Amino acid sequence: MKKMMEHKSGGFSETGLRRMRDVLAKHVDSGKIPGLVALVSRNGETHVEAIGTMRHGGGAPMRRDTIFRMASTSKMVGAAAVMVLLDECKLHLDDPVDTWLPELANRQVLKRPDGPLDDTVPARRPITVRDLLTSTFGLGVDMTLMGSPIQNAIFENGLFDTPGQEMPEPDEWMRRLGTLPLCYQPGERWQYHMSNEVLGVLVARVTGQTFETFLLERIFEPLGMKDTGFYVPEGKIDRLPPAYVPDPQTGEFIVWDDAAGGRYSKPPAFQAGGGGLLSTVDDYNAFLRMLLNQGIHGTERILSRPAVELMTTNRLTPEQQAFRDDLAKNNVHLSHGQGQHGGWGFGMAVRTYRGDYASIGQFGWDGGSGTSAYADPDKQLTGILLTQVGMSTPDSAYLIHDFWTMVYQAIAD
């Protein structure tokens, strides 16, 4: 096990960091988590732990530059790309998206969210850019509707990035999405994930570039995020661990994606803004620090201050908020406690009440592949925890909870 540290004053206590390492190591020693890389940064002090191995059962050790499948923590980066376009007036929050996404024009909406797909009414209004940014455009992956006709149709049409199923290229993906009715009226309910995938297509169509090229030019390269993208080139593939989904009954480690020859070893047909990025702790820290710094990285401005404020504060109306609160509280047993933050900004959760160790105003998100990335303006703190264990069992979620508890107890002042 390796320890890396650069020390400046004013960030974390030595004792607190030692305790954090002990708790993280305990999760690895349990056999439930093969390895992890964790980064915490505050007031110019950055501390990284790389513990355990790339593979279950041994092999190469985890390193600071190990590349991970970021899963849903990709959402915040995808949303930032849209904010660049808002800053340049190439998009506006209340623009109907029909111009660029004609597949989403003239929507039909289910009379009942769990009803048959042909029992619909016309949408009251067009879908807007704001609806997509706040995850309220009318369709999403919904824990409360699993097994319903609309949720089944989302999966059957290959619209959701699931192990063993690759999504089609963007135009075909949009065509399939356009064959489905909405589950709710535009702007009515917060629903997870699908909107972030649509945003990636929107960026590509507005700019005339691929989503990845736009991200590279406007976010990754300016921030020095040299290991972030939608696939891992051959020269770096040894830095990507296999991804596991443990069997919920037996706990057996099942590989859902290997590195060499796996789904992320070549450019994907669909560049998924909802969960397709791969990255490292240092790359993601650069992104989070830019948001904490109101859009500035070094001498360069990536986003305007108002764009960052919009992204990182609660954007839900009281009605949308009531539904999200209800969802989090009543499905906490399914999410292993994730998702109980209160608010939602653009592409990320925002804490609107004090529910655990984190401050009000903390923003970020977690990924189903066992990833977590948040920034805290009140404590001027960033934290990132990356593993290769999917959330088919609670093990990586428990590790993430413990990581954040230890981050906050390690604050020096």
Side-chain angles (χ1 to χ4, degrees):
M1 293 189 184
K2 282 195 222 156
K3 183 167 182 175
M4 288 172 272
M5 211 169 148
E6 59 179 75
H7 197 74
K8 299 189 184 82
S9 61
F12 304 99
S13 80
E14 288 283 359
T15 315
L17 289 173
R18 210 163 37 243
R19 282 190 190 131
M20 180 176 83
R21 183 189 167 77
D22 290 345
V23 167
L24 296 178
K26 201 164 73 186
H27 280 273
V28 172
D29 294 342
S30 75
K32 302 281 179 67
I33 305 285
L36 61 88
V37 182
L39 179 149
V40 288
S41 182
R42 184 168 184 252
N43 296 346
E45 179 183 336
T46 300
H47 182 87
V48 177
E49 297 286 1
I51 302 174
T53 54
M54 302 269 278
R55 289 186 170 276
H56 172 61
M62 281 288 177
R63 302 185 342 203
R64 182 170 182 156
D65 67 353
T66 296
I67 296 169
F68 291 87
R69 298 158 190 81
M70 298 304 292
S72 285
T73 59
S74 306
K75 290 177 167 62
M76 57 183 102
V77 178
V82 182
M83 303 315 287
V84 172
L85 298 177
L86 287 170
D87 274 343
E88 295 175 349
C89 293
K90 289 181 177 144
L91 282 175
H92 310 90
L93 282 170
D94 295 305
D95 283 342
V97 297
D98 304 3
T99 315
W100 304 282
L101 305 171
E103 299 92 341
L104 294 183
N106 307 315
R107 295 290 75 204
Q108 290 291 308
V109 183
L110 294 175
K111 284 184 185 168
R112 288 200 0 249
D114 59 351
L117 297 183
D118 56 359
D119 190 18
T120 60
V121 294
R124 289 195 285 263
R125 62 166 176 79
I127 293 164
T128 65
V129 175
R130 188 189 301 270
D131 296 328
L132 290 174
L133 278 166
T134 53
S135 292
T136 60
F137 87 105
L139 264 184
V141 177
D142 194 328
M143 285 275 195
T144 63
L145 290 172
M146 284 305 164
S148 65
I150 187 64
Q151 290 297 302
N152 289 346
I154 286 170
F155 293 116
E156 285 158 12
N157 278 283
L159 294 170
F160 184 65
D161 197 5
T162 46
Q165 179 171 336
E166 285 196 39
M167 296 198 292
E169 54 81 32
D171 290 348
E172 171 60 16
W173 189 89
M174 284 303 304
R175 186 196 69 75
R176 294 183 196 179
L177 185 69
T179 65
L180 301 181
L182 300 180
C183 195
Y184 294 103
Q185 288 286 342
E188 187 183 358
R189 289 274 172 106
W190 183 89
Q191 281 190 300
Y192 190 52
H193 181 72
M194 297 296 295
S195 59
N196 301 93
E197 305 286 42
V198 180
L199 286 171
V201 183
L202 179 66
V203 168
R205 290 190 180 174
V206 170
T207 61
Q209 297 178 293
T210 68
F211 184 36
E212 183 173 47
T213 301
F214 186 76
L215 284 170
L216 270 170
E217 289 180 5
R218 303 306 300 272
I219 294 172
F220 300 159
E221 285 170 0
L223 287 173
M225 295 171 72
K226 61 186 189 300
D227 291 321
T228 304
F230 288 105
Y231 76 105
V232 180
E234 201 179 336
K236 298 180 181 179
I237 202 80
D238 61 316
R239 288 162 54 193
L240 179 71
Y244 298 102
V245 282
D247 183 301
Q249 270 68 51
T250 65
E252 179 200 350
F253 276 80
I254 298 159
V255 176
W256 77 261
D257 182 49
D258 224 323
R263 69 185 302 173
Y264 293 105
S265 63
K266 58 187 188 301
F270 188 88
Q271 296 169 354
L277 288 175
L278 300 102
S279 193
T280 62
V281 288
D282 284 295
D283 278 13
Y284 251 58
N285 191 46
F287 178 76
L288 289 176
R289 298 293 329 169
M290 176 272 291
L291 293 180
L292 267 193
N293 205 25
Q294 303 296 336
I296 293 175
H297 174 76
T299 56
E300 194 163 356
R301 182 167 279 291
I302 312 293
L303 291 172
S304 70
R305 179 185 284 262
V308 173
E309 287 167 351
L310 276 169
M311 276 181 81
T312 61
T313 54
N314 187 29
R315 300 267 58 83
L316 299 183
T317 65
E319 295 79 16
Q320 294 163 350
Q321 185 67 59
F323 178 70
R324 178 159 151 74
D325 289 346
D326 201 41
L327 196 69
K329 290 180 182 125
N330 292 328
N331 294 283
V332 65
H333 60 296
L334 297 175
S335 66
H336 316 307
Q338 304 298 85
Q340 295 203 94
H341 308 76
W344 189 259
F346 292 160
M348 64 183 88
V350 179
R351 290 195 185 261
T352 50
Y353 66 93
R354 189 73 188 254
D356 57 23
Y357 282 49
S359 322
I360 290 174
Q362 185 211 43
F363 58 81
W365 197 231
D366 307 286
S369 57
T371 58
S372 186
Y374 288 84
D376 182 333
D378 180 59
K379 303 287 187 293
Q380 283 298 300
L381 169 84
T382 53
I384 299 151
L385 176 76
L386 305 179
T387 80
Q388 75 280 62
V389 181
M391 292 198 189
S392 51
T393 59
D395 299 308
S396 51
Y398 291 156
L399 165 63
I400 288 167
H401 287 306
D402 286 355
F403 167 68
W404 285 106
T405 300
M406 299 318 286
V407 169
Y408 278 97
Q409 66 78 41
I411 290 172
D413 45 302

